[in-house]
């Protein structure tokens, strides 16, 4: 899953983006509102974490303009004791908010919920035949037994699993699994698919030549 983090406070931007990457997300960053809007309009992020108070263009305006063209889930970061800000944000099309300072565990849980909802998935554990995927624990089991996946393999499996029944193109997978800093890993998509098949069964991920990959519903 690929996130945009828009935050102008350098330490927070650095710390948060590192924590999100350790949690398995691909992360692009913006330190002002104009950059955030440009990126959010250009790339199909799985979610945007948007600080309300940003230089050049406030978070409100980023959100308002983004909603003209995209329904990307947006989680607002707001200041304490600003109920009016949160109401305004939700009314402008934000999907959720967090009040600063917040616990990372809560941010991660809210992101998982946002991403689940945007894929119309209500259940927190994905059941894919004999395979179960738990995004909260980032664990995978096959017939009840744990299976070790690398972070990349896990990310690929989670994305295809959330969109099971749909053929997902290679370009869509590149867009959702790798951030701007990560082009070197892009050509390994086939290797990741092959490794997942070795671990979960050859027919678990199907190839539709010229179209992409599919996990059957
Ligand atoms: Ca700020």
């Amino acid at each position: 899953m690929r996130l945009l983090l828009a935050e102008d406070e350098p330490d927070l931007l650095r710390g948060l983006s590192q924590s999100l990457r350790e949690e398995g997300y691909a992360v692009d960053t913006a330190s002002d509102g104009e950059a955030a809007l440009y990126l959010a309009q250009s790339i199909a992020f799985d979610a945007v974490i948007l600080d309300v108070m940003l230089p050049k263009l406030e978070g409100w305006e980023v959100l308002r303009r983004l909603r003209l063209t995209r329904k990307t889930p947006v989680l607002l970061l707001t200041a304490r004791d600003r109920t009016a800000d949160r109401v305004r944000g939700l009314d402008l099309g934000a999907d959720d908010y967090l009040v600063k300072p917040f616990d990372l565990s809560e941010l991660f849980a809210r992101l998982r919920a946002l991403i689940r909802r945007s894929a119309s998935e209500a259940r927190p554990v994905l059941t894919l035949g004999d395979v179960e995927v738990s995004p909260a624990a980032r664990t995978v089991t096959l017939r009840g037994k744990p299976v070790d996946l690398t972070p990349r393999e896990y990310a690929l499996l989670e994305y295809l699993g959330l969109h099971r029944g749909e053929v997902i193109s290679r370009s869509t997978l590149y867009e959702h699994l790798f951030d701007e800093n990560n082009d070197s890993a892009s050509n390994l998509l086939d290797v990741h698919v092959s490794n997942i098949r070795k671990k979960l069964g050859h027919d678990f991920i199907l190839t539709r030549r010229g179209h992409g990959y599919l996990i059957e519903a």
Side-chain angles (χ1 to χ4, degrees):
M1 301 292 164
R2 184 174 179 180
L3 306 176
L4 173 63
L5 172 61
E7 167 62 60
D8 58 319
E9 212 275 290
D11 289 343
L12 189 55
L13 183 68
R14 202 163 36 238
L16 262 186
S17 54
Q18 187 184 337
S19 300
L20 288 162
R21 286 193 183 104
E22 285 167 5
E23 191 66 10
Y25 292 104
V27 184
D28 297 80
T29 59
S31 52
D32 67 64
E34 281 178 4
L37 180 63
Y38 173 76
L39 284 171
Q41 285 174 332
S42 318
I43 295 167
F45 290 103
D46 295 290
V48 176
I49 303 168
L50 181 63
D51 186 28
V52 164
M53 302 305 286
L54 285 174
K56 295 192 183 172
L57 200 60
E58 284 195 318
W60 311 120
E61 193 54 21
V62 175
L63 177 60
R64 192 186 68 76
R65 293 195 205 174
L66 179 63
R67 280 287 171 264
L68 298 176
T69 56
R70 281 199 188 261
K71 54 183 184 179
T72 313
V74 172
L75 185 147
L76 286 181
L77 302 181
T78 70
R80 190 175 284 287
D81 298 331
R82 294 291 299 264
T83 307
D85 281 2
R86 301 196 281 277
V87 171
R88 182 180 176 194
L90 293 169
D91 282 343
L92 275 172
D95 299 273
D96 202 355
Y97 64 83
L98 264 180
V99 177
K100 290 179 172 180
F102 49 82
D103 276 349
L104 278 177
S105 59
E106 185 172 6
L107 173 65
F108 295 157
R110 287 178 183 275
L111 285 172
R112 286 192 294 272
L114 279 185
I115 289 169
R116 212 162 54 219
R117 282 205 297 273
S118 74
S120 302
E121 177 62 69
R123 292 167 303 172
V125 173
L126 300 174
T127 304
L128 310 164
D130 292 337
V131 175
E132 287 205 333
V133 181
S134 167
R138 301 216 303 133
T139 54
V140 177
T141 60
L142 173 62
R143 289 185 280 278
K145 296 209 169 60
V147 177
D148 261 339
L149 296 185
T150 67
R152 286 281 178 229
E153 289 162 12
Y154 175 83
L156 176 57
L157 170 61
E158 186 186 22
Y159 193 87
L160 289 174
L162 265 179
H163 299 89
R164 60 191 175 282
E166 297 170 42
V167 178
I168 308 293
S169 70
R170 296 171 59 87
S171 62
T172 298
L173 287 170
Y174 289 132
E175 188 169 26
H176 287 273
L177 301 182
F178 304 107
D179 57 44
E180 287 184 320
N181 310 314
N182 220 315
D183 45 343
S184 63
S186 305
N187 53 3
L188 296 175
L189 194 55
D190 297 323
V191 176
H192 297 318
V193 169
S194 158
N195 287 338
I196 293 172
R197 283 173 174 156
K198 280 178 200 152
K199 294 174 183 180
L200 298 176
H202 186 262
D203 294 332
F204 183 66
I205 296 177
L206 303 176
T207 302
R208 292 281 182 264
R209 298 239 173 266
H211 299 284
Y213 296 108
L214 161 75
I215 290 178
E216 286 187 320

